[in-house]
Amino acid sequence: MKALEGVKILDFTHVQSGPTCTQLLAWFGADVIKVERPGVGDATRKQLVDVPGADSLYFTMLNHNKRSITLNTKNETGKEVLTRLIKECDVLVENFAPGALDRMGFGWEAIQKLNPRMIMASVKGFGPGKYEDCKVYENVAQCAGGSASTTGFLDGPPVVTGAQIGDSGTGLHLALGIVTALFQRERSGRGQKVLAPMQDGVLNLCRVKLRDQQRLAAGPLKEYSQFGEGIPFGEATPRAGNDSGGGQPGRILKCKGWENDPNAYTYFITQAAVWEKICDVIGEPEWKTRPGYATPPERLDKLNEIFDRIEQWTMTKTKFEVMDICNPLDIPVGPILSMKEIMEDEGLQKTGTIVKVPHPERGDYYTVGCPIKMSDSPVEVTRSPLLGEHTLEILKDVLGYDGEDLARVTESGAVGELKQAAE
Ligand code: COA
């Protein structure tokens, strides 16, 4: 048995933010029924196509373990089918542009009337306020949520990060909201509306930067490199390059082979507790007692010199050798792993975090499996559905359409072309 077995999710999500949420719920055992426009489907099916004619990796990697029904929700019979789906399901998840569900005739009030136990969960770009009507994508959220202004180097422009904290990050927030609402429904018997705005989700992940914003009132941020370099602080949390976010100074340093390999680097943290071991490893044992070097506050104005010296040492080792030497000494380091290295990592494949998935149109591909491991609810990653692959199955098994009724619905054009489920 899986944790969310028996929970039915009406999945109206598209692109990335919503689909990451419903994919997690599917991995935890929910029956996720993805509703897509007949003949069109989620736009990502045909975005960044690498195998002509097949669903893209963009789509397949975000929609595992789901079923797909095609349904035109603007068609009268389509509205009838949607009404029945709303009555059958526990949760409706959507990340349409603001107002789209209302325009369809299925806003929160209408849904509550149809199914008072339903949880209606939405991703929007912004919460209520002056930007609530905006359409929003990943990088807009990173900029509006405080990530871009605090990422990058002091002397450069704001930078967006490769981690999809606006889309996938908000999907995670929404998933937590949904299971929490399901838990509350156990006691209240009522559904509720769950909203995860992307700006808020990004800001939640940038919490330490708002911490630093307020610390500025008490003086310069001493753990930032710019303090040691004598550069004055302005009014807002500055960009801190690769400085460590906590109180322990850290940097990205070159390793052996950096001239030709863009990822031959390591992260190196000069944690105070292991300072003496660091001094021994890099061949500067006298720094352990030398005035100006022995304690963390004394070292703050010498961080560039100290990290230059450590880098002289890391440049004589590969990033993995640095890891092998420092790990047993409790010196916190981390190799900069490329996506190629991660995809081929045997450890991650063993734990199911990197998974090879067979697909009838595109052959085998790699994906990121469930990053949350539960001892009583194991995850088996299955491929994403083809467009409308389960329309007939859902109409019959979930909604009980049969005989004349089924013929009426299919002839109305509301559900598009019916397909038999592929192997
Ligand atoms: N049958 C009939 N119509 C359907 C349908 C279906 N099964 N599914 C969707 N539609 C319609 C919608 O009702 C909407 O119509 P309307 O504008 O006439 O009301 C239309 O398709 C387009 O939906 P929309 O969400 O506006 O798509 P978009 O491509 O224009 O915008 C986003 C995409 C992502 C910018 C927008 O959905 C958005 O801002 N979402 C919230 C924030 C978000 O999740 N952003 C991150 C995406 S990773």
Side-chain angles (χ1 to χ4, degrees), residues 145 173 199-208:
H173 284 90
Q199 180 186 37
D200 305 40
V202 170
L203 176 58
N204 184 36
L205 299 176
C206 293
R207 183 169 292 263
V208 298

Side-chain angles (χ1 to χ4, degrees), residues 36-52:
E36 296 179 84
R37 239 180 306 182
V40 183
D42 187 326
T44 59
R45 284 188 187 266
K46 297 291 166 252
Q47 275 174 16
L48 310 178
V49 167
D50 57 328
V51 178

